[in-house]
Amino acid sequence: MSIAVCPGSFDPITLGHVDVVRRALTIFDEVIVGVAQNPGKNYRFAPEERLALAESAIADLPGARVMPVHGLLADFVQDTGASAIVKGLRGAADFDAEQAMALMNRHLSGVETVFIMGDPRLAHVASSLVKDVARHGGYIDDLVPTEVAAALTRKDSDV
Ligand code: PNS
C-alpha cells in the first residue's frame, strides 16, 4: 500500500489543490492531505475551518483523507508511514519555492518529494489570489469547491 502526503496551508483549498490530489491518486494508493501551520502566514481560516473545507473538497475522492500536521512535516510523513511527499507545481516560481523544502525534508527524514504538474487551466489559481478576488466581490465559483466559495462569501460578509 503506497501512501503519499500532500501538505499545505490550504487557506483555503482550491480546485488546483484538488486536481493535484486527484493526479497523485493515480500514482499512490492513498493520499493524505496534510493541513499544516506555517507560522509566517496570517491565515484567513482557522485550522479547524481549513480542515473541514479540505475534507468536503476531497469527499468524493476514494483513497484521499485529511489530517492535521503538527510540528515538522518530515516527522508527520514518517509517523503516517508515507513513502513520499507530493507537491503540485504551477510553474517555475513554484519550483523555486519548493526546491529548498524538498531538500530539507529529505535531509531530515530521507523522504523524497514528488512534483506533479497541475492542470495548466488552473495555473492562475492560488489561495491568496482567490481570497483577494473574493474580498472584492469577484466570481470564484470556478476556482474553488462549492463549500469553499460559500465559506469565503460568508467570511467576506462578516467584515
Ligand atoms: O501552502 P504552504 O503554506 O505553501 O505550505 C507550506 C508547508 C505548510 C507545507 C510548510 O510550511 C511545512 O511543511 N510546514 C510544516 C513545518 C515544517 O516541516 N517546516 C519545514 C519545512 S522544510
Side-chain angles (χ1 to χ4, degrees):
M1 168 101 162
S2 59
I3 305 173
V5 174
C6 185
S9 293
F10 302 108
D11 184 47
I13 194 164
T14 68
L15 291 181
H17 293 127
V18 175
D19 171 57
V20 170
V21 174
R22 188 180 292 117
R23 288 173 197 282
L25 282 166
T26 67
I27 304 170
F28 298 95
D29 298 317
E30 187 180 331
V31 174
I32 299 171
V33 176
V35 179
Q37 287 291 118
N38 183 341
K41 289 197 172 173
N42 189 13
Y43 290 118
R44 187 115 175 89
F45 289 95
E48 57 275 15
E49 292 177 304
R50 288 184 280 124
L51 279 164
L53 291 172
E55 269 162 10
S56 70
I58 56 112
D60 63 345
L61 294 182
R65 64 191 167 107
V66 176
M67 288 179 73
V69 176
H70 302 293
L72 279 178
L73 176 63
D75 293 339
F76 177 82
V77 171
Q78 288 182 314
D79 292 348
T80 54
S83 54
I85 295 166
V86 166
K87 290 284 192 92
L89 294 180
R90 288 163 296 196
D94 280 350
F95 177 78
D96 284 346
E98 295 296 341
Q99 185 178 21
M101 283 195 275
L103 293 173
M104 179 59 80
N105 284 318
R106 191 170 68 192
H107 169 79
L108 291 171
S109 63
V111 70
E112 297 288 353
T113 297
V114 174
F115 292 108
I116 291 180
M117 292 308 302
D119 186 337
R121 289 170 298 183
L122 297 170
H124 57 296
V125 181
S127 299
S128 54
L129 289 179
V130 171
K131 284 181 280 190
D132 197 35
V133 171
R135 195 175 288 121
H136 291 90
Y139 185 76
I140 54 167
D141 292 19
D142 51 359
L143 306 175
V144 290
T146 311
E147 295 81 359
V148 174
L152 274 167
T153 304
R154 275 198 305 277
K155 278 263 178 221
D156 290 323
S157 62
D158 284 351
V159 289

